[in-house]
Amino acid sequence: MHKRSLATAVLCGGLRVAAAHSATNCTAAHSALVAFGEAVMTFKPRPATPVHVALPLAAPAAEVVQAVGGAELNVAVALSRVSAAPIASYVSVLPHGPLGDAVRSAAEASGVATENVVVDGSPHSVLGTLHVVDDGSGPRPHYQRHHSAFATVASGDTFDWPSLLSPAKWLHVTGITPLLGPGPAAAWSTALEAAAATDGCDVSLDFNHRPALGSLEELWALVQPHVAARAVTLLMLSEDSLRRLAEREGVWPGEGAEHASQAAALSSLRQRWGVPLLGCCFKRAAAPREAASGGLKDTQEHKNTLFGGGGVVRWSVVATAAGEVSTGDTPVVHRPREALGGGDAWVAGFLHGLLDAGEGWRGEAASSRAAIARACRRGDLLAALSMARFGDLSDVSGGALRAAEARWAGVTAQLNASGAGGGGVVVGGGGEGASGAAPPQRFAPFHAAAASVFERFGRTRLVPVVSLASPEAAEPVARALLRGGVDVMELVLRTPSAMQALRLIASKVPEMAVGAGTVLSAEQAEQAVAAGASFLVSPGTNPRVVEWATQRGVPIVPGCATASEIEAALELGLTHLKFFPAEASGGAAALKALGGPYKDVRFMPTGGVTQANLPSYLSLPGVFAAGGTWLVPAEAVAKRDWAAVEALTRAAVLAAAEAS
């Protein structure tokens, strides 16, 4: 074991890593993405909300939202959150102590590997900070990072990049890092050179010019050699950087440029620089005065569109060797909570799309352009969904992202639409404050379920309710149900192995739409969706769980048993409810009576439903499906009698068809 000056770090195989991991665990993470850059602790003014108890603060004290962030870490977290398995690794330098631990904990909680983080144990090691301060012209970021552990320790020989990158598909970096000082710039350049020399490892570089750190000319002087050396596969520019670099290269069409001209400038730069993919995200105010086809005259005007209250139209353009790929015809309309973080989430969504495509995105074929278009759309949606929450790190799950893609396939995504008829979910809006803005609209169901999960419910009108004591039974049960004719199931979270079983079904039996039942908290909902749940079912109507689900576009069917509970659910914008416990609450007769005044509500009776009484429920016009445990009895699971499960399912499907 070698020694080094950083007291809380160890050296393993030539790689400096955090001491919290034992020497036996000091191996390069086998990740599809390696993200390298500095993490910061952010402090932003707390926004006004509809329910906000102000603290008795002495002037000029103010409440703030504290969060872990950092552009590269944001990408790693967002990518891991939407992936079925951990696929991202984070490489950085963090200070020893609670602040560095907080960053690592946040990353690891999101599934990001941190084995390759160096911990600086020097006495005055600090974490960089970002304070958002409104100077009267809008919120502006102010950094304190030149003396951070990352800025003072990172250097060209800090990391063993060939070992780190040998299993990776992508290295992600930004233009922030090389402007933090000579050491970070050397580490950044070394990483890019190592990626260029590593077979199968592409580089994603978000230009991300921050004027507070240096001029655009300084940054381009550092980036350009790597672009010229063909070391960069994807280069992302902001609208402002696109304009300024295009002017520098003599390909900018001039003041008041229309969007088509901006896209043409992007293609001209790509051809001149030889970068395979050159991208830019575009945003305009959703108000009529700012049409999506309009130009952008001022960067500050562009930033301020995020605070106008009317929402934002977002789309992206990527220039390729085969021409421009744009989502301009099917943009995403949303209402951001704050202006920061959308670009990082877009990169994560785009890279996730390319990883899904394998090698299919390369080349000039129509299929390659289609793969890049799907990746752009995924980036647009993930950016919008991520900006519906405060904080830098995205918590959007793969289930929520897939639901959004299914719901808005081929059309403009109206993520700030309200009401069941619009099929949207309010993902933004601010509280009523000094500006006099209206309070946010009530969250409404995001009916991706109408296109996927609820459509499956309607095929057989059966939802097997399954409890598994062992994950080994997960796949056989799901396949037995499929053979019996049912492709949707509710796996209740009542056993210690339920999450593992859910994950197994979602990954190994993708043709089965598996939902999580007995969801009692927002935390459980998040874990279930991360494990692959396509929908959520709860015994009661918990507003926190409902808001969590609808805010992220996850279909949810909460429970109710009385008229008062139905009306409470309606207040939350819900239209599909579970009548539970059905038999104990009066059975089909009671549900028929409740359906009279609530003709727009659709029910799923569960609890005491059997093969014998199934027809009495399915004959009711307000019932969209019935849930039951009799399809997968505990005795059959214990005996591994999958033929019995299949037979029970076939019989139930036949009974449901006769009752319909």
Side-chain angles (χ1 to χ4, degrees), residues 600-618:
D600 293 331
V601 178
R602 295 295 175 262
F603 296 97
M604 180 175 73
T606 307
V609 179
T610 66
Q611 177 87 14
N613 62 23
L614 178 65
S616 64
Y617 285 106
L618 294 185

PDB file of all heavy atoms in Angstrom, residues 600-618:
ATOM      1  N   ASP A 600     -68.410  10.146 -13.279  1.00  0.00           N
ATOM      2  CA  ASP A 600     -67.145  10.338 -13.991  1.00  0.00           C
ATOM      3  C   ASP A 600     -65.988   9.599 -13.334  1.00  0.00           C
ATOM      4  O   ASP A 600     -64.861   9.639 -13.845  1.00  0.00           O
ATOM      5  CB  ASP A 600     -66.801  11.831 -14.084  1.00  0.00           C
ATOM      6  CG  ASP A 600     -67.782  12.583 -14.970  1.00  0.00           C
ATOM      7  OD1 ASP A 600     -68.332  11.949 -15.894  1.00  0.00           O
ATOM      8  OD2 ASP A 600     -67.991  13.782 -14.732  1.00  0.00           O
ATOM      9  N   VAL A 601     -66.244   8.972 -12.201  1.00  0.00           N
ATOM     10  CA  VAL A 601     -65.188   8.248 -11.499  1.00  0.00           C
ATOM     11  C   VAL A 601     -65.190   6.796 -11.948  1.00  0.00           C
ATOM     12  O   VAL A 601     -66.250   6.181 -12.120  1.00  0.00           O
ATOM     13  CB  VAL A 601     -65.377   8.338  -9.973  1.00  0.00           C
ATOM     14  CG1 VAL A 601     -64.293   7.545  -9.249  1.00  0.00           C
ATOM     15  CG2 VAL A 601     -65.362   9.800  -9.527  1.00  0.00           C
ATOM     16  N   ARG A 602     -64.012   6.238 -12.144  1.00  0.00           N
ATOM     17  CA  ARG A 602     -63.867   4.835 -12.497  1.00  0.00           C
ATOM     18  C   ARG A 602     -63.245   4.093 -11.311  1.00  0.00           C
ATOM     19  O   ARG A 602     -62.296   4.581 -10.701  1.00  0.00           O
ATOM     20  CB  ARG A 602     -62.995   4.671 -13.743  1.00  0.00           C
ATOM     21  CG  ARG A 602     -63.627   5.270 -14.993  1.00  0.00           C
ATOM     22  CD  ARG A 602     -64.903   4.508 -15.371  1.00  0.00           C
ATOM     23  NE  ARG A 602     -65.609   5.117 -16.493  1.00  0.00           N
ATOM     24  CZ  ARG A 602     -66.642   5.924 -16.367  1.00  0.00           C
ATOM     25  NH1 ARG A 602     -67.088   6.253 -15.161  1.00  0.00           N
ATOM     26  NH2 ARG A 602     -67.246   6.425 -17.426  1.00  0.00           N
ATOM     27  N   PHE A 603     -63.800   2.910 -11.006  1.00  0.00           N
ATOM     28  CA  PHE A 603     -63.403   2.190  -9.806  1.00  0.00           C
ATOM     29  C   PHE A 603     -62.744   0.850 -10.134  1.00  0.00           C
ATOM     30  O   PHE A 603     -63.081   0.189 -11.130  1.00  0.00           O
ATOM     31  CB  PHE A 603     -64.615   1.921  -8.914  1.00  0.00           C
ATOM     32  CG  PHE A 603     -65.258   3.167  -8.370  1.00  0.00           C
ATOM     33  CD1 PHE A 603     -66.376   3.721  -9.001  1.00  0.00           C
ATOM     34  CD2 PHE A 603     -64.757   3.788  -7.234  1.00  0.00           C
ATOM     35  CE1 PHE A 603     -66.978   4.860  -8.504  1.00  0.00           C
ATOM     36  CE2 PHE A 603     -65.357   4.937  -6.738  1.00  0.00           C
ATOM     37  CZ  PHE A 603     -66.469   5.470  -7.366  1.00  0.00           C
ATOM     38  N   MET A 604     -61.849   0.445  -9.255  1.00  0.00           N
ATOM     39  CA  MET A 604     -61.255  -0.883  -9.290  1.00  0.00           C
ATOM     40  C   MET A 604     -61.522  -1.543  -7.928  1.00  0.00           C
ATOM     41  O   MET A 604     -60.783  -1.315  -6.969  1.00  0.00           O
ATOM     42  CB  MET A 604     -59.744  -0.817  -9.552  1.00  0.00           C
ATOM     43  CG  MET A 604     -59.076  -2.200  -9.608  1.00  0.00           C
ATOM     44  SD  MET A 604     -57.325  -2.125 -10.047  1.00  0.00           S
ATOM     45  CE  MET A 604     -56.624  -1.449  -8.527  1.00  0.00           C
ATOM     46  N   PRO A 605     -62.597  -2.332  -7.798  1.00  0.00           N
ATOM     47  CA  PRO A 605     -62.877  -2.989  -6.522  1.00  0.00           C
ATOM     48  C   PRO A 605     -61.799  -4.024  -6.195  1.00  0.00           C
ATOM     49  O   PRO A 605     -61.389  -4.804  -7.052  1.00  0.00           O
ATOM     50  CB  PRO A 605     -64.235  -3.651  -6.755  1.00  0.00           C
ATOM     51  CG  PRO A 605     -64.329  -3.812  -8.236  1.00  0.00           C
ATOM     52  CD  PRO A 605     -63.595  -2.653  -8.827  1.00  0.00           C
ATOM     53  N   THR A 606     -61.331  -4.008  -4.966  1.00  0.00           N
ATOM     54  CA  THR A 606     -60.294  -4.925  -4.492  1.00  0.00           C
ATOM     55  C   THR A 606     -60.559  -5.226  -3.020  1.00  0.00           C
ATOM     56  O   THR A 606     -60.951  -4.334  -2.265  1.00  0.00           O
ATOM     57  CB  THR A 606     -58.890  -4.295  -4.639  1.00  0.00           C
ATOM     58  OG1 THR A 606     -58.701  -3.843  -5.979  1.00  0.00           O
ATOM     59  CG2 THR A 606     -57.800  -5.293  -4.295  1.00  0.00           C
ATOM     60  N   GLY A 607     -60.317  -6.454  -2.640  1.00  0.00           N
ATOM     61  CA  GLY A 607     -60.533  -6.839  -1.245  1.00  0.00           C
ATOM     62  C   GLY A 607     -61.768  -7.700  -1.105  1.00  0.00           C
ATOM     63  O   GLY A 607     -62.881  -7.169  -1.054  1.00  0.00           O
ATOM     64  N   GLY A 608     -61.579  -9.002  -1.122  1.00  0.00           N
ATOM     65  CA  GLY A 608     -62.712  -9.915  -1.047  1.00  0.00           C
ATOM     66  C   GLY A 608     -63.293 -10.281  -2.382  1.00  0.00           C
ATOM     67  O   GLY A 608     -64.277 -11.024  -2.458  1.00  0.00           O
ATOM     68  N   VAL A 609     -62.716  -9.786  -3.477  1.00  0.00           N
ATOM     69  CA  VAL A 609     -63.191 -10.148  -4.817  1.00  0.00           C
ATOM     70  C   VAL A 609     -62.702 -11.560  -5.140  1.00  0.00           C
ATOM     71  O   VAL A 609     -61.537 -11.901  -4.915  1.00  0.00           O
ATOM     72  CB  VAL A 609     -62.686  -9.153  -5.876  1.00  0.00           C
ATOM     73  CG1 VAL A 609     -63.163  -9.560  -7.266  1.00  0.00           C
ATOM     74  CG2 VAL A 609     -63.153  -7.738  -5.550  1.00  0.00           C
ATOM     75  N   THR A 610     -63.601 -12.379  -5.646  1.00  0.00           N
ATOM     76  CA  THR A 610     -63.281 -13.766  -5.979  1.00  0.00           C
ATOM     77  C   THR A 610     -63.817 -14.110  -7.361  1.00  0.00           C
ATOM     78  O   THR A 610     -64.526 -13.297  -7.987  1.00  0.00           O
ATOM     79  CB  THR A 610     -63.911 -14.730  -4.958  1.00  0.00           C
ATOM     80  OG1 THR A 610     -65.344 -14.650  -5.075  1.00  0.00           O
ATOM     81  CG2 THR A 610     -63.484 -14.391  -3.531  1.00  0.00           C
ATOM     82  N   GLN A 611     -63.518 -15.322  -7.808  1.00  0.00           N
ATOM     83  CA  GLN A 611     -64.052 -15.794  -9.082  1.00  0.00           C
ATOM     84  C   GLN A 611     -65.581 -15.796  -9.058  1.00  0.00           C
ATOM     85  O   GLN A 611     -66.223 -15.478 -10.056  1.00  0.00           O
ATOM     86  CB  GLN A 611     -63.539 -17.216  -9.346  1.00  0.00           C
ATOM     87  CG  GLN A 611     -64.072 -17.867 -10.609  1.00  0.00           C
ATOM     88  CD  GLN A 611     -63.232 -17.526 -11.831  1.00  0.00           C
ATOM     89  OE1 GLN A 611     -62.129 -17.019 -11.694  1.00  0.00           O
ATOM     90  NE2 GLN A 611     -63.761 -17.782 -13.012  1.00  0.00           N
ATOM     91  N   ALA A 612     -66.149 -16.094  -7.889  1.00  0.00           N
ATOM     92  CA  ALA A 612     -67.606 -16.209  -7.784  1.00  0.00           C
ATOM     93  C   ALA A 612     -68.306 -14.861  -7.881  1.00  0.00           C
ATOM     94  O   ALA A 612     -69.336 -14.730  -8.554  1.00  0.00           O
ATOM     95  CB  ALA A 612     -67.973 -16.904  -6.475  1.00  0.00           C
ATOM     96  N   ASN A 613     -67.774 -13.834  -7.197  1.00  0.00           N
ATOM     97  CA  ASN A 613     -68.475 -12.543  -7.206  1.00  0.00           C
ATOM     98  C   ASN A 613     -67.915 -11.575  -8.246  1.00  0.00           C
ATOM     99  O   ASN A 613     -68.368 -10.432  -8.349  1.00  0.00           O
ATOM    100  CB  ASN A 613     -68.466 -11.911  -5.808  1.00  0.00           C
ATOM    101  CG  ASN A 613     -67.054 -11.612  -5.298  1.00  0.00           C
ATOM    102  OD1 ASN A 613     -66.116 -11.458  -6.063  1.00  0.00           O
ATOM    103  ND2 ASN A 613     -66.920 -11.536  -3.975  1.00  0.00           N
ATOM    104  N   LEU A 614     -66.923 -11.995  -9.012  1.00  0.00           N
ATOM    105  CA  LEU A 614     -66.329 -11.127 -10.028  1.00  0.00           C
ATOM    106  C   LEU A 614     -67.368 -10.554 -10.989  1.00  0.00           C
ATOM    107  O   LEU A 614     -67.365  -9.338 -11.249  1.00  0.00           O
ATOM    108  CB  LEU A 614     -65.250 -11.908 -10.801  1.00  0.00           C
ATOM    109  CG  LEU A 614     -64.558 -11.165 -11.939  1.00  0.00           C
ATOM    110  CD1 LEU A 614     -63.751  -9.988 -11.420  1.00  0.00           C
ATOM    111  CD2 LEU A 614     -63.641 -12.125 -12.726  1.00  0.00           C
ATOM    112  N   PRO A 615     -68.318 -11.361 -11.523  1.00  0.00           N
ATOM    113  CA  PRO A 615     -69.294 -10.804 -12.475  1.00  0.00           C
ATOM    114  C   PRO A 615     -70.146  -9.680 -11.894  1.00  0.00           C
ATOM    115  O   PRO A 615     -70.520  -8.747 -12.624  1.00  0.00           O
ATOM    116  CB  PRO A 615     -70.142 -12.022 -12.854  1.00  0.00           C
ATOM    117  CG  PRO A 615     -69.253 -13.195 -12.616  1.00  0.00           C
ATOM    118  CD  PRO A 615     -68.450 -12.833 -11.411  1.00  0.00           C
ATOM    119  N   SER A 616     -70.454  -9.760 -10.598  1.00  0.00           N
ATOM    120  CA  SER A 616     -71.301  -8.719 -10.014  1.00  0.00           C
ATOM    121  C   SER A 616     -70.602  -7.367 -10.006  1.00  0.00           C
ATOM    122  O   SER A 616     -71.250  -6.316 -10.068  1.00  0.00           O
ATOM    123  CB  SER A 616     -71.703  -9.104  -8.588  1.00  0.00           C
ATOM    124  OG  SER A 616     -70.567  -9.165  -7.738  1.00  0.00           O
ATOM    125  N   TYR A 617     -69.276  -7.365  -9.932  1.00  0.00           N
ATOM    126  CA  TYR A 617     -68.526  -6.106  -9.969  1.00  0.00           C
ATOM    127  C   TYR A 617     -68.315  -5.628 -11.406  1.00  0.00           C
ATOM    128  O   TYR A 617     -68.525  -4.448 -11.726  1.00  0.00           O
ATOM    129  CB  TYR A 617     -67.163  -6.276  -9.290  1.00  0.00           C
ATOM    130  CG  TYR A 617     -67.228  -6.332  -7.781  1.00  0.00           C
ATOM    131  CD1 TYR A 617     -67.057  -7.527  -7.104  1.00  0.00           C
ATOM    132  CD2 TYR A 617     -67.449  -5.181  -7.031  1.00  0.00           C
ATOM    133  CE1 TYR A 617     -67.101  -7.583  -5.714  1.00  0.00           C
ATOM    134  CE2 TYR A 617     -67.505  -5.221  -5.644  1.00  0.00           C
ATOM    135  CZ  TYR A 617     -67.329  -6.427  -4.993  1.00  0.00           C
ATOM    136  OH  TYR A 617     -67.384  -6.471  -3.621  1.00  0.00           O
ATOM    137  N   LEU A 618     -67.891  -6.539 -12.271  1.00  0.00           N
ATOM    138  CA  LEU A 618     -67.569  -6.132 -13.644  1.00  0.00           C
ATOM    139  C   LEU A 618     -68.800  -5.733 -14.446  1.00  0.00           C
ATOM    140  O   LEU A 618     -68.677  -5.082 -15.494  1.00  0.00           O
ATOM    141  CB  LEU A 618     -66.822  -7.259 -14.357  1.00  0.00           C
ATOM    142  CG  LEU A 618     -65.423  -7.595 -13.820  1.00  0.00           C
ATOM    143  CD1 LEU A 618     -64.756  -8.651 -14.697  1.00  0.00           C
ATOM    144  CD2 LEU A 618     -64.542  -6.351 -13.735  1.00  0.00           C
TER     145      LEU A 618
END
